[in-house]
Amino acid sequence: MPAIYYDDSSRNDPSSPSPPSPLPAIPHAHSYPLFNNTHDRPTTSPSCVELPALADFGTDGEVIPVIDFSQLASSEREQRKLFHAVTEVGFFQLVHHPITQEMIEGVQGEAAAFFGQAMGAKTGLALSNERGHGVRGYFGTFSENLDQYQQEKDYKGDIKEGFDLGLEQALSDLTDPEHNYTHTTNDAFASLFTCPAVTLRLLHYVYSTNGGGGRAGCGDLGVEYKKEIACGAHTDYGCFTLLHQDATGGLEVCDATGAWREVPYIPNAFVVNIGDMLQMWTGGLFKSTVHRVVYYREKQTGRPKDTDRYSIPFFFNPSPYVPVEALDINPKFPLGEGASTNTTNTPVAAQKRTCEEILMDRYSKAFGTKQGRA
Ligand SMILES: O=C(O)CCC(=O)C(=O)O
Ligand SMILES: [Fe+2]
């Protein structure tokens, strides 16, 4: 049974990059090269990247734009707002979409039932990688480390446990037919997004307290966890992500000034964000933005301290074997005129890799090296 371990050996390696400056000095995602990791962080910002002014961060007074799905086909205003969201903010919330609250609650219930099982039952379905199908299975607390920029000292990894349903080429074949939610989601979104591959993930942030002074603890696991960071600061790997967070909240986005901005919980809304692959593919036109999850603040949410958090991300991508290279569609930075969005002076177009290679590279970095996957 392939156990998943978090490998923190590189963090103790003196040759690793020196720790970054403390929060909130984290640079915006735009100032990082694409597909970077903690070991090849840039020392300079790419000159071709323009950071949005704070005033541009949102419309209608919203920090994170709220887009009305039901208006998108007919309203130019909504379309403009969406364009602003994907090119300037990298994040938006989608409301009035066809996924019902009942379906969302159904999946949350399934997630709670799955994660509520004895550990043995969960590790019996441990994560494995099947070529062409991505990663499927369970991973435990601290297995994934999304603290991509090493913002956190002595970080053990994210406190979430998760279940990946793998990368499916056929949208209609995502899960068991009984799982109405994913099928309806596919039908609803397939008409809007023609992505051939989607990965559904269930996440459970283990917030059961063990007297850690109001901070998250993992008493059940015998590990005291005193960090307020539940999922480290990172950018997403793929094209774009649709995520349902629950009322616990805690998702935050890094704005152009380096300040963390809350993505407020809107009942039934999906949070949508652009990933690095789409940023690269659009020659930097679409923005992939740094985000993280913080342990919820009781005062803000009014929820009891030890309420666990369930989130349901869908990761949308092209087919695994599709080669991904930058397209010359960014009027600000046409390719060939210093358009590279990385700092290595390698033209973006020369970074041609398949979707699967890009995703697996990032995946294995986030999970460390001891997971026994190819
Ligand atoms: O759980 C969340 O709200 C965010 C998770 C996330 O950012 C991710 O899995 O990439
Ligand atoms: Fe993410």
Side-chain angles (χ1 to χ4, degrees), residues 91 139 144 146 158 160 201 203-205 231-232 234-237 241 243-246 249-252 271 273 291-293 309-313 315:
F91 264 82
F139 60 90
E144 188 174 41
L146 285 176
D158 304 335
K160 62 182 195 264
R201 193 175 227 209
L203 293 177
H204 171 217
Y205 290 78
C231 168
H234 67 282
T235 49
D236 284 0
Y237 319 157
T241 306
L243 175 137
H244 185 272
Q245 63 168 340
D246 70 11
L251 182 59
E252 292 186 341
V271 179
N273 66 289
H291 53 285
R292 68 180 187 182
V293 179
R309 177 178 190 271
Y310 293 90
S311 65
I312 310 165
F315 299 102

Side-chain angles (χ1 to χ4, degrees), residues 320-353:
Y321 305 113
V322 164
V324 180
E325 60 184 320
L327 299 174
D328 193 1
I329 60 169
N330 187 350
K332 281 185 194 162
F333 314 115
L335 291 181
E337 293 180 29
S340 170
T341 50
N342 67 43
T343 52
T344 59
N345 293 329
T346 312
V348 169
Q351 295 186 335
K352 187 151 92 175
R353 288 187 295 168

Side-chain angles (χ1 to χ4, degrees), residues 237-313:
Y237 319 157
C239 278
F240 61 94
T241 306
L242 263 70
L243 175 137
H244 185 272
Q245 63 168 340
D246 70 11
T248 310
L251 182 59
E252 292 186 341
V253 172
C254 189
D255 76 14
T257 70
W260 289 103
R261 314 291 291 253
E262 184 189 359
V263 182
Y265 168 67
I266 301 177
N268 213 28
F270 276 88
V271 179
V272 185
N273 66 289
I274 305 301
D276 288 350
M277 199 188 303
L278 195 53
Q279 177 176 280
M280 191 274 268
W281 215 334
T282 59
L285 183 63
F286 283 22
K287 297 296 185 290
S288 172
T289 308
V290 173
H291 53 285
R292 68 180 187 182
V293 179
V294 294
Y295 181 52
Y296 74 95
R297 284 124 191 177
E298 191 180 4
K299 275 190 193 138
Q300 269 177 351
T301 64
R303 304 221 348 161
K305 268 200 292 225
D306 56 357
T307 306
D308 289 359
R309 177 178 190 271
Y310 293 90
S311 65
I312 310 165

